[in-house]
C-alpha cells in the first residue's frame, strides 16, 4: 500500500548507555515523472508525484560514538554492491551535516537495507535522509530548529534526498528540492515488481538526452492522479529486459 504514511521513529539508549535514534521509511514510488530540458548545471528540472510504500522499507539507526572515532557504517539486509565507506550516501550525510553544524563526525550508522539497490525505489536516498533525521534528533533540538540545515544538506547529497527527508506524499519540482506535501484520501494498493537486476540512473538520463527527451505515455491512476514516466523509454533502451517485464505485467 501507498498512502497517508510517513516516517517512523524511536529513540533509546543502547546497552552501554549511549544515546541512539532510529528512523524507518518505505520505498519511494514515483507515480508521475515529467522531465524537462537539460539545465546549465547538468541536471534536469522535473515535475513528479512521489508516494512511499509500506514495504519494502529501510531502517537507519545512528549512535553517538566516542570522541575521535569518526564515522562508522554497518550494513545489514540486501547489501550486495552497497559501499560501506564514503561512497555511501548515508556516510556523506554524516560528513556534511557535521560540517554544517561545526561538530565532530563521531557517529555510528547502522542500516537495515530491504530495498534492493538500483531498483529505482530510492534506497540510497532514503538511507541518507533517515541518517539526517537521526542526526537531527540526537541534537536534542526541535525539528523546526534544524530542518533548514537538514534540507540544505539533503539537496547537496542528491536530487531524491529532499523528498525522502520530507518522508510523505508530495509533488516535487525543480531539481527535486521543491516539495509540496499532498494528502492521499486513503491507502492505495499497488503491485511492486522488482527485477533481479539494477539500472543506473545516470545511464538512463544520458540515454534520455541522446534519444531527444521522449515523453512518456500518460494514464489516469485514480487517487494517484496522472501516471507517467518520461524516462521509461530510455530505461528500456539501457536495459531491454525491463520492457519485457513491463509488457508482461
Amino acid at each position: 500500500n501507498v498512502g497517508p504514511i510517513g516516517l517512523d521513529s524511536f529513540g533509546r539508549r543502547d546497552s552501554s548507555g549511549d544515546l541512539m535514534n532510529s528512523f524507518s521509511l518505505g520505498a519511494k514510488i514515483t507515480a508521475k515523472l515529467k522531465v524537462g530540458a537539460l539545465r546549465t548545471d547538468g541536471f534536469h528540472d522535473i515535475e513528479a508525484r512521489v508516494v512511499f510504500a509500506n514495504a519494502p522499507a529501510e531502517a537507519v539507526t545512528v549512535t553517538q560514538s566516542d570522541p575521535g572515532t569518526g564515522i562508522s557504517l554497518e550494513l545489514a539486509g540486501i547489501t550486495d554492491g552497497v559501499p560501506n565507506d564514503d561512497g555511501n550516501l548515508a556516510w556523506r550525510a554524516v560528513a556534511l551535516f557535521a560540517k554544517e553544524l561545526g561538530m565532530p563526525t563521531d557517529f555510528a550508522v547502522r542500516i537495515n537495507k530491504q530495498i534492493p539497490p538500483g531498483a529505482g525505489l530510492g534506497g540510497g536516498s532514503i538511507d541518507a535522509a533517515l541518517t539526517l533525521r537521526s542526526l537531527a534528533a540526537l541534537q536534542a533540538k526541535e525539528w523546526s530548529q534544524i530542518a533548514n540545515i537538514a534540507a540544505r544538506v539533503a539537496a547537496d547529497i542528491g536530487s531524491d534526498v529532499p523528498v525522502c527527508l520530507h518522508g510523505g506524499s508530495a509533488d516535487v519540482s525543480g531539481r527535486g528540492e521543491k516539495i509540496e506535501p499532498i494528502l492521499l484520501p486513503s491507502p492505495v494498493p499497488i503491485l511492486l515488481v522488482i527485477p533481479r537486476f539494477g539500472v543506473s540512473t545516470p545511464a538512463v538520463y544520458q540515454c534520455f538526452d541522446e534519444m531527444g527527451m521522449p515523453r512518456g505515455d500518460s494514464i489516469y491512476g485514480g487517487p494517484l492522479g496522472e501516471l507517467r514516466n518520461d524516462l521509461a523509454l530510455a530505461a528500456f533502451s539501457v536495459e531491454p529486459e525491463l520492457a519485457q517485464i513491463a509488457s508482461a505485467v
Side-chain angles (χ1 to χ4, degrees):
N1 285 342
V2 298
I5 59 175
L7 294 157
D8 288 326
S9 67
F10 55 95
R12 65 187 188 278
R13 292 186 181 274
D14 64 12
S15 58
S16 64
D18 292 330
L19 185 63
M20 60 199 305
N21 205 282
S22 301
F23 281 84
S24 64
L25 182 65
K28 179 181 74 71
I29 309 296
T30 306
K32 177 184 73 175
L33 177 60
K34 297 180 179 180
V35 182
L38 187 65
R39 307 184 336 181
T40 56
D41 61 3
F43 292 96
H44 291 263
D45 278 322
I46 64 166
E47 294 180 23
R49 172 156 290 184
V50 173
V51 296
F52 291 89
N54 291 330
E58 302 281 274
V60 172
T61 299
V62 177
T63 306
Q64 181 81 55
S65 301
D66 293 333
T69 56
I71 304 170
S72 64
L73 180 59
E74 178 186 354
L75 302 175
I78 305 173
T79 62
D80 287 350
V82 180
N84 64 345
D85 53 20
D86 58 4
N88 190 293
L89 296 185
W91 184 295
R92 190 176 177 203
V94 175
L96 292 178
F97 186 83
K99 182 179 180 180
E100 281 282 341
L101 268 64
M103 65 183 188
T105 59
D106 301 325
F107 295 96
V109 181
R110 187 180 191 279
I111 304 175
N112 184 357
K113 292 195 63 63
Q114 297 303 316
I115 299 175
L121 300 174
S125 296
I126 289 172
D127 295 340
L130 297 183
T131 300
L132 289 173
R133 282 278 186 172
S134 297
L135 288 167
L138 288 174
Q139 305 314 303
K141 295 181 180 180
E142 294 292 332
W143 175 245
S144 59
Q145 295 178 287
I146 209 165
N148 288 339
I149 295 174
R152 186 164 60 246
V153 172
D156 286 343
I157 296 171
S159 299
D160 283 343
V161 182
V163 71
C164 296
L165 183 68
H166 166 68
S169 303
D171 286 335
V172 180
S173 58
R175 185 170 67 87
E177 78 283 4
K178 299 177 182 178
I179 311 296
E180 184 66 32
I182 60 173
L183 181 62
L184 297 180
S186 61
V188 179
I190 62 168
L191 173 64
L192 189 58
V193 179
I194 303 176
R196 65 181 184 276
F197 53 85
V199 181
S200 165
T201 299
V204 171
Y205 267 101
Q206 180 179 345
C207 185
F208 175 77
D209 292 333
E210 293 171 350
M211 294 175 70
M213 299 186 297
R215 302 298 118 191
D217 294 333
S218 177
I219 61 174
Y220 177 63
L224 295 179
E226 179 186 12
L227 301 181
R228 169 175 166 175
N229 183 0
D230 283 353
L231 295 180
L233 291 178
F236 294 161
S237 179
V238 171
E239 182 47 74
E241 192 172 345
L242 274 180
Q244 301 173 20
I245 293 172
S247 177
V249 172

